[in-house]
């Protein structure tokens, strides 16, 4: 419950910031079980290479999520080191979906 409250306090019960990108830091297998529409799958070990080609402008707001929030912490840290200025750890996929009102779309 504390994590849900923290996420809500960070990104609020509202739409994502204008132009924000959702980065899914889960595995391809996890991604297949459900996604938030419009999210970009980035495997944590390939994040630096993928960020350069898929994220573009370092001013763009980014919300990173994973299954529980642990990989999102690492992904946020990597993106911040790369110079991305507005990176939010959204926590787990369920927390981001609830906090933003975006549905999880089942792929399987």
């Amino acid at each position: 419950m504390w994590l849900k409250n923290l996420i809500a306090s960070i990104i609020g019960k509202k739409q994502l910031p204008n132009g924000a990108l959702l980065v899914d830091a889960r595995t391809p297998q996890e991604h297949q079980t459900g996604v938030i529409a419009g999210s970009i799958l980035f495997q944590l070990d390939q994040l630096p290479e993928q960020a350069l080609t898929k994220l573009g402008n370092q001013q763009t707001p980014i919300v990173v999520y994973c299954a529980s929030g642990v990989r999102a912490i690492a992904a946020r840290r990597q993106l911040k080191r790369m110079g991305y200025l507005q990176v939010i750890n959204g926590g787990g996929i369920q927390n981001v979906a609830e906090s933003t009102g975006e549905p999880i779309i089942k792929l399987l």
Side-chain angles (χ1 to χ4, degrees), residues 27-100:
T27 66
Q29 295 79 14
E30 290 171 312
H31 185 78
Q32 288 297 309
T33 65
V35 301
I36 296 177
S39 64
I40 304 168
L41 176 64
F42 281 28
Q43 293 183 76
L44 194 55
D45 62 341
Q46 298 172 2
L47 185 86
E49 297 84 16
Q50 293 174 331
L52 294 174
T53 59
K54 295 182 180 179
L55 294 181
N57 187 337
Q58 293 176 324
Q59 301 287 334
T60 302
I62 299 168
V63 177
V64 183
Y65 71 87
C66 61
S68 66
V70 175
R71 285 171 284 179
I73 293 169
R76 179 185 181 278
R77 197 173 293 139
Q78 282 185 12
L79 289 168
K80 293 291 276 184
R81 271 188 252 138
M82 293 176 66
Y84 290 91
L85 303 172
Q86 300 181 61
V87 186
I88 298 168
N89 174 2
I93 186 172
Q94 191 66 41
N95 293 330
V96 172
E98 289 174 9
S99 296
T100 62

